[in-house]
Amino acid sequence: MSITKESWGETKAGEAVDLYTLENANGVRAKIATYGGIVTELYMPDKDGNMADVVCGHKTLAEYEAGHPYFGSLIGRYGNRIGKGKFTLEGKEYTLAANNGENHLHGGDVGFDKKVWKAEAVESDNSVGVKLTYVSVDGEEGYPGRLTSTVVYELTRDNELKIDYKATTDEATVLNLTHHGYFNLGGHDSGDILDHVMTIAADRYTPVDEGLIPTGEIAPVAGTVMDFTKPTAIGARIKDVAGGGYDHNYVLNNQDGSMALAARVSESETGRVMEVYTTEPGMQFYTGNFLDGSNKGKGAVYNKHAAFCLETQHYPDSPNRPEFPPVVLRPGETYTHTTVYRFSVE
Ligand code: BGC
């Protein structure tokens, strides 16, 4: 297994960015940029041993800086939406950027996906990795408290991409860190993901309003187009989903904070399988509904449904929903979250 580091140039603001390459003995390779903690490439074998890059993204830092829909990025401080960009914590109201209609999305105008993280290589018997650290100052993007986040990406011997998140604060705050990989198990340039077969370990989900803010209801998936409790093609009922496809938070069956299977996805032509394990109580299933061909990445044109995202998380708008699992972090506490994307073939 190996870890290599190369310079990836500078941001427009003049910050130096590095690109780490993690490789295991199976020839599986992940490239991770210190800008946004972006997984820019992820090469996985198919059933015949052929490698393909299974994540959407761009080739250069300049293309990422020019704007993209969070391809492969780390998301913070708050993954997904906060209604009207407002919440109250310990009696004080906070106002965040309304960067998605009237709502706040993925941490605001300059979220963690656009920050340059400090990085160091990390290695264990079982893995090669990179540990990323970012200190978000008090008031950044409107959030209270100085928040120190570390994210360790590891590529294991068993073709897993493991992500370990930790964070501490000096003042009560809210957070919801996640990873926004856009996966296509046929290869990032292979067309749409409608034939991929999805299983999600969730009997319930959080219905949303037109602005994609949860209504507060926790609804059963049974008997609806939301039901992926049994293996089902992503495209089987997608035409009947309001809003052009799936963009919903699933209430994972496992709610006790231990690692549990959240989803399994397979693609029959290549035989590639991806399983997602997480400690989080929720997962956003997003089918690239807003991809429109304008994102030409790594030589491919990404049209609607060119990829799917499985963002392990707390539920959207939790800061305004006391009935949802809590997202408040206080001084002296440590936020933890582990997610594993495990790849295999069948
Ligand atoms: C959101 C989508 C959004 C996408 C890209 C997902 O997490 O739920 O609504 O378009 O991220 O920003």
Side-chain angles (χ1 to χ4, degrees):
M1 295 193 286
S2 67
I3 311 174
T4 52
K5 171 183 152 181
E6 63 193 284
S7 165
W8 214 37
E10 282 184 0
T11 63
K12 283 184 271 181
E15 285 175 286
V17 174
D18 291 325
L19 188 66
Y20 282 78
T21 303
L22 313 177
E23 189 162 347
N24 73 11
N26 310 324
V28 162
R29 198 164 74 232
K31 291 200 181 209
I32 297 165
T34 57
Y35 175 81
I38 296 173
V39 177
T40 63
E41 294 175 20
L42 184 62
Y43 278 87
M44 287 290 166
D46 68 7
K47 59 188 176 200
D48 302 317
N50 301 313
M51 291 288 177
D53 182 0
V54 296
V55 294
C56 297
H58 287 295
K59 272 189 191 137
T60 64
L61 175 59
E63 287 168 293
Y64 283 105
E65 273 202 290
H68 67 107
Y70 304 91
F71 286 144
S73 305
L74 292 177
I75 307 294
R77 292 190 187 191
Y78 199 93
N80 216 280
R81 292 174 177 80
I82 297 178
K84 302 199 168 64
K86 284 192 194 303
F87 67 95
T88 300
L89 182 61
E90 300 190 328
K92 200 169 159 200
E93 188 180 71
Y94 294 92
T95 302
L96 312 168
N99 60 330
N100 188 250
E102 60 175 6
N103 301 317
H104 179 80
L105 177 68
H106 293 334
D109 292 329
V110 190
F112 288 6
D113 57 292
K114 298 179 186 70
K115 299 294 183 183
V116 178
W117 295 60
K118 277 210 189 83
E120 63 180 278
V122 289
E123 228 173 319
S124 75
D125 287 348
N126 188 41
S127 68
V128 281
V130 55
K131 178 179 178 182
L132 302 172
T133 305
Y134 176 67
V135 179
S136 175
V137 297
D138 181 24
E140 186 177 286
E141 288 292 330
Y143 291 95
R146 181 178 196 267
L147 185 77
T148 302
S149 305
T150 61
V151 177
V152 181
Y153 278 109
E154 278 172 280
L155 174 66
T156 71
R157 289 189 189 280
D158 304 323
N159 298 357
E160 298 162 318
L161 183 69
K162 181 177 179 203
I163 316 178
D164 251 309
Y165 308 76
K166 283 194 170 50
T168 54
T169 183
D170 67 356
E171 207 184 311
T173 192
V174 297
L175 83 160
N176 189 27
L177 304 181
T178 191
H179 170 75
H180 208 310
Y182 281 72
F183 299 98
N184 185 323
L185 299 181
H188 76 104
D189 51 357
S190 68
D192 69 56
I193 45 75
L194 299 177
D195 289 340
H196 284 50
V197 174
M198 175 72 74
T199 314
I200 301 179
D203 295 333
R204 297 172 302 159
Y205 75 109
T206 51
V208 286
D209 66 17
E210 319 76 62
L212 299 178
I213 300 296
T215 58
E217 192 193 347
I218 304 271
V221 295
T224 76
V225 295
M226 303 301 297
D227 190 351
F228 283 93
T229 52
K230 298 199 177 61
T232 308
I234 292 177
R237 301 154 306 181
I238 202 166
K239 285 198 175 61
D240 301 324
V241 182
Y246 296 95
D247 192 355
H248 294 83
N249 172 64
Y250 280 80
V251 173
L252 296 173
N253 289 341
N254 179 56
Q255 291 283 310
D256 68 8
S258 61
M259 278 297 263
L261 182 69
R264 183 183 195 275
V265 200
S266 60
E267 198 282 313
S268 62
E269 255 177 59
T270 61
R272 287 195 188 90
V273 176
M274 184 177 91
E275 289 168 323
V276 183
Y277 294 82
T278 190
T279 56
E280 287 292 281
M283 185 179 68
Q284 191 80 11
F285 174 37
Y286 172 58
T287 45
N289 312 329
F290 301 119
L291 297 174
D292 60 4
S294 59
N295 295 104
K296 294 175 189 61
K298 299 188 286 191
V301 176
Y302 301 134
N303 289 309
K304 189 171 179 177
H305 307 320
F308 65 89
C309 303
L310 294 172
E311 304 150 64
T312 52
Q313 62 183 7
H314 274 61
Y315 313 161
D317 203 29
S318 292
N320 294 308
R321 288 281 171 196
E323 68 272 31
F324 287 174
V327 291
V328 176
L329 183 71
R330 295 196 163 77
E333 298 173 343
T334 302
Y335 164 93
T336 59
H337 163 184
T338 301
T339 292
V340 171
Y341 296 93
R342 174 182 293 168
F343 294 85
S344 57
V345 288
E346 64 179 13

